[in-house]
Amino acid sequence: MPHPYHRRNRGPEPARRRALELLAASPDGCTEALMVANGFSVELLLELMRDGLASAHPERMVADGTIMEVARVKITDNGRQALE
């Protein structure tokens, strides 16, 4: 039985592939807000993390003088392998 992120062993589904490609092109990863702004759902991001293709880490940022905590999403080695 193929992995849930594979469609007939042809690699990740299109939305997953696009998300992984964006993360792979971003050495420092992307914030969750940036991923959502690019059309990726929070549910998709959670699936990528659950499947070990991406990871998220909290990070503090300053915007308009306010400190806020955001999630930075990065691709994992398994995620890079899924793109190959």
Side-chain angles (χ1 to χ4, degrees):
M1 175 177 256
H3 287 279
Y5 61 89
H6 281 81
R7 186 176 50 187
R8 295 185 196 149
N9 291 332
R10 286 185 282 173
E13 294 176 6
R16 288 176 160 236
R17 173 169 281 286
R18 287 186 319 109
L20 291 173
E21 287 172 347
L22 178 59
L23 293 172
S26 306
D28 295 328
C30 298
T31 63
E32 178 186 348
L34 181 63
M35 296 296 289
V36 171
N38 276 282
F40 303 108
S41 68
V42 172
E43 290 80 14
L44 174 65
L45 298 176
L46 290 172
E47 287 176 19
L48 293 175
M49 288 180 250
R50 183 191 65 223
D51 294 340
L53 303 176
S55 63
H57 305 281
E59 179 178 290
R60 289 200 174 118
M61 297 181 80
V62 177
D64 292 330
T66 303
I67 298 174
M68 61 181 76
E69 195 164 291
V70 298
R72 182 162 299 273
V73 182
K74 295 184 178 184
I75 192 169
T76 63
D77 290 338
N78 288 343
R80 290 185 193 283
Q81 289 175 358
L83 286 175
E84 294 175 358

